């Protein structure tokens, strides 16, 4: 993928998504021009028996010693808050927790580090369908509203703060409806699709894109994402509108759906082919 030799990739996080990426990098990486150079996890014991000891990174701060070209974060927004800017000192960064960017201080720090070290911040689109179309419409000035609804079984949520105490009041309960920026801190692992939408539509951003989180007792083995957008009214008062409905199979209680795992792998491959230019870029 690069004339200088294989792209050296480090993976931060070894949950379900991290395990899938590491497995693919070990099996398919060499033929694709990718070399896995480290795996870090907050609990190192989780890597025992599955990640070769030579690839286990004990301290995240020591990642520069592995000379990565790309560091892939699939852990938790806290990693981006605490270490994102430092990672950019050494490599391009693929963010798997874009909800972290709802924090304006974190977003500013990433942009400043990206510019200073001439490394790119890539953001995986995850379960967001129609990303390019949203971005094109927004860039043309034609996007008026964007609403993303994420519904799944309550066991699939990892909620914090006031949302952690929220309870279903029936078969289908709306836990939150409002600006995406207000949701991300309390549903950091369940709002990434909405955060990706906010980044895809910068004219609306985290304050203008509406996020809706729904607990649905019938969705025991899937995540459902509805994306609704509209344009500005034309001369006859009619508006362009699109509504997509995505059903993503998922293991009971899983945060990440099956199709999202595949989509993230494609994002990893895509950003290894893109130029390393400063800024935040969806892939």
């Amino acid at each position: 993928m690069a004339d200088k030799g294989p792209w050296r990739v480090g993976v931060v996080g070894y949950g379900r998504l991290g395990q899938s990426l590491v497995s693919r990098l070990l099996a398919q990486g060499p033929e694709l021009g990718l070399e896995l150079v480290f795996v870090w996890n907050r609990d190192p014991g989780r890597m025992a028996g599955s990640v070769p000891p030579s690839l286990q990174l004990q301290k995240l701060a020591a990642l520069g010693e592995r000379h990565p070209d790309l560091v892939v974060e699939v852990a938790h927004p806290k990693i981006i808050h605490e270490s994102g800017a430092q990672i950019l000192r050494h490599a391009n960064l693929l963010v798997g927790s874009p909800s972290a960017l709802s924090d304006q201080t974190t977003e500013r720090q990433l942009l400043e580090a990206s510019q200073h070290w001439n490394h790119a911040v890539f953001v995986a689109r995850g379960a967001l369908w129609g990303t390019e179309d949203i971005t094109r419409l927004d860039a043309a000035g034609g996007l008026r509203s964007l609403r993303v609804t994420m519904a799944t079984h309550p066991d699939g949520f990892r909620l914090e703060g006031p949302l952690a105490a929220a309870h279903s009041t029936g078969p289908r309960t709306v836990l939150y409806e409002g600006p995406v920026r207000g949701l991300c801190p309390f549903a950091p692992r369940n709002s990434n699709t909405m955060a990706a939408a906010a980044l895809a539509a910068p004219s609306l951003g985290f304050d203008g894109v509406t996020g809706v989180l729904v607990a649905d007792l019938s969705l025991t083995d899937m995540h459902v994402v509805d994306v609704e957008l509209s344009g500005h009214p034309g001369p006859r008062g009619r508006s362009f509108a699109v509504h997509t409905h995505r059903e993503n199979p998922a293991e009971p209680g899983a945060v990440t759906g099956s199709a999202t795992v595949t989509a993230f792998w494609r994002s990893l491959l895509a950003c290894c082919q893109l130029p390393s230019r400063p800024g935040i870029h969806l892939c």
Side-chain angles (χ1 to χ4, degrees):
M1 288 191 172
D3 294 338
K4 68 179 183 60
W7 261 61
R8 298 169 61 83
V9 181
V11 176
V12 174
Y14 199 62
R16 183 184 178 215
L17 186 49
Q19 291 169 21
S20 174
L21 294 176
V22 168
S23 176
R24 291 193 187 211
L25 283 165
L26 289 173
Q28 304 174 38
E31 65 187 64
L32 295 171
L34 301 173
E35 178 186 1
L36 180 65
V37 294
F38 76 80
V39 183
W40 178 89
N41 194 59
R42 192 176 295 276
D43 176 11
R46 193 164 189 173
M47 299 185 286
S50 57
V51 178
S54 62
L55 293 178
Q56 296 182 24
L57 185 67
Q58 299 305 313
K59 295 182 178 180
L60 187 58
L63 68 87
E65 297 173 4
R66 303 297 180 97
H67 305 290
D69 297 302
L70 176 71
V71 173
V72 182
E73 176 275 316
V74 283
H76 190 278
K78 287 182 180 179
I79 297 298
I80 302 301
H81 293 313
E82 298 170 358
S83 304
Q86 182 63 23
I87 291 172
L88 285 165
R89 179 175 183 175
H90 303 284
N92 294 326
L93 172 63
L94 174 56
V95 177
S97 303
S99 62
L101 292 159
S102 68
D103 179 78
Q104 292 170 308
T105 298
T106 298
E107 183 181 25
R108 185 182 69 254
Q109 290 174 342
L110 291 184
L111 284 170
E112 289 175 352
S114 172
Q115 294 286 344
H116 184 77
W117 300 108
N118 198 35
H119 284 136
V121 179
F122 297 111
V123 176
R125 70 190 67 187
L128 181 62
W129 193 257
T131 308
E132 292 92 347
D133 298 299
I134 293 171
T135 299
R136 287 171 185 154
L137 183 62
D138 186 68
L143 185 61
R144 182 178 65 171
S145 68
L146 179 57
R147 175 187 179 95
V148 182
T149 301
M150 162 74 175
T152 194
H153 192 277
D155 290 346
F157 291 134
R158 304 291 185 270
L159 305 177
E160 301 177 11
L163 284 184
H167 298 287
S168 300
T169 57
R172 184 177 172 89
T173 304
V174 175
L175 302 178
Y176 177 91
E177 181 174 354
V180 172
R181 194 182 302 278
L183 174 62
C184 288
F186 305 122
R189 300 178 64 187
N190 298 109
S191 57
N192 287 315
T193 301
M194 303 170 191
L199 293 167
S203 73
L204 298 175
F206 283 93
D207 296 305
V209 174
T210 298
V212 185
L213 198 66
V214 178
D216 191 323
L217 294 175
S218 71
L219 300 177
T220 57
D221 59 356
M222 73 169 65
H223 300 165
V224 176
V225 178
D226 286 277
V227 178
E228 303 166 81
L229 64 83
S230 67
H232 300 285
R236 296 179 179 272
R238 302 282 292 182
S239 299
F240 174 79
V242 176
H243 180 185
T244 63
H245 177 84
R246 173 181 167 122
E247 297 182 355
N248 189 0
E251 295 295 323
V255 173
T256 306
S258 302
T260 304
V261 174
T262 301
F264 200 99
W265 173 246
R266 302 308 304 179
S267 290
L268 190 159
L269 297 180
C271 69
C272 288
Q273 296 175 329
L274 293 172
S276 177
R277 54 191 175 87
I280 298 174
H281 316 282
L282 278 168
C283 65

